[in-house]
Amino acid sequence: MNMIMEDSLSNWRFCCVVSKANGEDPIGSAPTSEHCLALEMQLPWTEKNSHFGGHQFAPTLIDLPYGHYWGHLTPEILELLVWHNGSVTELYPFYRGWAGLSKFEQIAEREIWMQEGWDWLNYHKSGQVLAMDEADEEWAEVCINFSAENGSIKGAYEARVEASGSVMTAWDSGNQIPLEEVKQYRVSHLVKVA
């Protein structure tokens, strides 16, 4: 590791893994766990932000090893997110979808979660884009298959995802970055088919 990286890393306190074996708790309050949460942050050895999808400048989190993306998080919502002890509808604006699905599938998957509840986050899932407007990306029809780990619950949903407006955003950080129009999407039709 070069000296610049060593110096930069020494100024950051990373908290990605809580060791169950030796009971380490680098933040002083977390119980030991077999999974971790990774927060998006500026990398200390570059001028660029690391980014794994979702929204360009929002506090973003990926729940590992489960692969759930979250965005625009606030401190007030973290207890519900960590402990799963309330209504999933409170987390609707923050959930970005499961990493194993494509963009349109993730949009549909969030709507399914609202119907299925907390158990949805533990189901095995697969997705398929059935049809889409490849030229303009105005709509897509998707299928999401799911099953409980033990196979006792399984099924499928089909959804239509459509463009529903746009927002202006910057694709990078810095001074005088031009804003660009980005489509926003909604689920216009969702049905459980199996």
Side-chain angles (χ1 to χ4, degrees), residues 8-16 25-29 41 44:
S8 296
L9 288 174
S10 68
N11 293 325
W12 286 79
R13 185 173 180 190
F14 290 99
C15 178
C16 288
D25 183 6
I27 62 171
S29 63
M41 64 174 66

Side-chain angles (χ1 to χ4, degrees), residues 64-180:
L64 299 172
Y66 307 108
H68 301 125
Y69 290 140
W70 304 88
H72 289 284
L73 295 174
T74 62
E76 300 78 31
I77 206 69
L78 290 178
E79 186 172 330
L80 176 60
L81 174 62
V82 171
W83 298 112
H84 298 185
N85 62 354
S87 171
V88 298
T89 58
E90 293 180 55
L91 287 172
Y92 179 85
F94 306 101
Y95 186 56
R96 299 293 175 250
W98 178 58
L101 299 173
S102 70
K103 171 176 77 175
F104 291 115
E105 294 162 350
Q106 286 178 348
I107 294 165
E109 192 244 352
R110 178 172 65 173
E111 297 296 327
I112 299 166
W113 178 43
M114 293 296 105
Q115 293 186 19
E116 294 286 332
W118 286 111
D119 288 340
W120 178 255
L121 297 181
N122 298 316
Y123 291 157
H124 296 280
K125 298 176 262 309
S126 65
Q128 179 181 9
V129 175
L130 303 173
M132 73 178 285
D133 172 12
E134 292 186 32
D136 299 319
E137 292 194 348
E138 288 290 321
W139 60 269
E141 293 176 355
V142 301
C143 179
I144 308 293
N145 294 290
F146 67 94
S147 65
E149 188 172 344
N150 65 7
S152 63
I153 299 171
K154 58 184 172 181
Y157 281 88
E158 288 186 1
R160 181 174 176 92
V161 178
E162 296 179 338
S164 64
S166 63
V167 295
M168 299 300 289
T169 190
W171 288 106
D172 205 345
S173 59
N175 295 329
Q176 300 177 348
I177 300 297
L179 296 179
E180 296 181 33

Side-chain angles (χ1 to χ4, degrees), residues 30-41:
T32 57
S33 179
E34 291 182 340
H35 77 281
C36 68
L37 302 176
L39 290 169
E40 176 185 338
M41 64 174 66

